[in-house]
Amino acid sequence: MADDDPDFTVPVGLFQDVEDLKAQLTQLTAQMTRLTENAGTGPGETPADAEDETADDPELEEGEPEAEYPPFILLLDSPQYDEELRALIEWVEGVLVPGYLAEPSSDARWCHLWFEHPVAVARLHAAWLAWQELTDPATCGYTGPSVWHRDHLDPCMRELRGSGGPFAGCTKREHEVIHRMPGLVPSAWRTGE
């Protein structure tokens, strides 16, 4: 069919598919660039050449691989766990709670002591890691936030806030927990005021 054919119309879904493909290509390109830079290989270099260059580097100790991505929080020990939890608390209470959580109810539970629930810590940490990646247009294009909402935030909130989730037993009567929307990040995690 020719472009000037009046009977030809482009399906709307095709534009969405093209935009998704563009975002995926942008993300893959950014990942390849990062991997190439992290491996020390440039165009025309082989990984063996990069190993030869870094073998004499006194700053790189043997047996200690550099972490490319943050590890999953439940795999960490103190003090790394504490540092990661502190950063997660700041994100949850600074971004997630005020922006996404309505007042708790029997259908949408929330515990302001969520960080005492390992399942909640694990799910929220996973959502936070995805948020860090998918809100950066350089790595995921402009559709990243939409993907984050659909694939990460919505399922996470359904699991956490549902009647069978980790907050199911958090009631004022049983745990003496006042269900409220937290204000500021607890003072123990604030720095130098």
Side-chain angles (χ1 to χ4, degrees):
M1 291 186 168
D3 289 337
D4 55 354
D5 185 359
D7 295 334
F8 179 73
T9 57
V10 177
V12 174
L14 183 62
F15 288 117
Q16 294 169 341
D17 291 343
V18 169
E19 289 304 311
D20 285 344
L21 288 172
K22 284 181 187 177
Q24 289 175 0
L25 180 60
T26 302
Q27 183 178 11
L28 287 172
T29 302
Q31 286 176 347
M32 288 301 297
T33 301
R34 278 196 315 262
L35 289 173
T36 302
E37 290 170 357
N38 288 341
T41 58
E45 275 187 289
T46 64
D49 295 337
E51 286 177 17
D52 291 341
E53 290 175 9
T54 59
D56 299 328
D57 190 349
E59 292 183 23
L60 294 177
E61 297 179 11
E62 278 192 42
E64 289 188 38
E66 276 190 47
E68 288 183 32
Y69 302 102
F72 185 54
I73 194 167
L74 296 183
L75 300 177
L76 298 175
D77 293 320
S78 289
Q80 292 86 10
Y81 176 87
D82 299 332
E83 292 171 13
E84 193 74 2
L85 181 61
R86 185 175 301 114
L88 176 62
I89 288 171
E90 289 178 9
W91 177 76
V92 168
E93 295 187 5
V95 175
L96 193 65
V97 170
Y100 292 96
L101 300 181
E103 196 63 37
S105 69
S106 62
D107 293 332
R109 299 164 188 264
W110 182 256
C111 178
H112 76 280
L113 296 174
W114 60 268
F115 44 84
E116 293 182 3
H117 298 269
V119 171
V121 169
R123 286 189 178 278
L124 291 168
H125 187 257
W128 178 48
L129 291 176
W131 180 81
Q132 290 177 69
E133 179 179 337
L134 293 171
T135 56
D136 180 5
T139 60
C140 64
Y142 294 112
T143 59
S146 176
V147 171
W148 179 75
H149 283 92
R150 181 193 67 206
D151 293 347
H152 301 281
L153 178 67
D154 294 343
C156 178
M157 290 297 106
R158 274 193 302 273
E159 292 295 322
L160 290 180
R161 299 188 80 188
S163 60
F167 307 141
C170 293
T171 63
K172 185 175 180 181
R173 186 175 67 247
E174 289 183 26
H175 291 143
E176 297 298 320
V177 174
I178 300 169
H179 283 77
R180 60 172 172 72
M181 297 304 291
L184 298 174
V185 175
S187 61
W189 291 286
R190 285 194 219 135
T191 56
E193 286 189 27

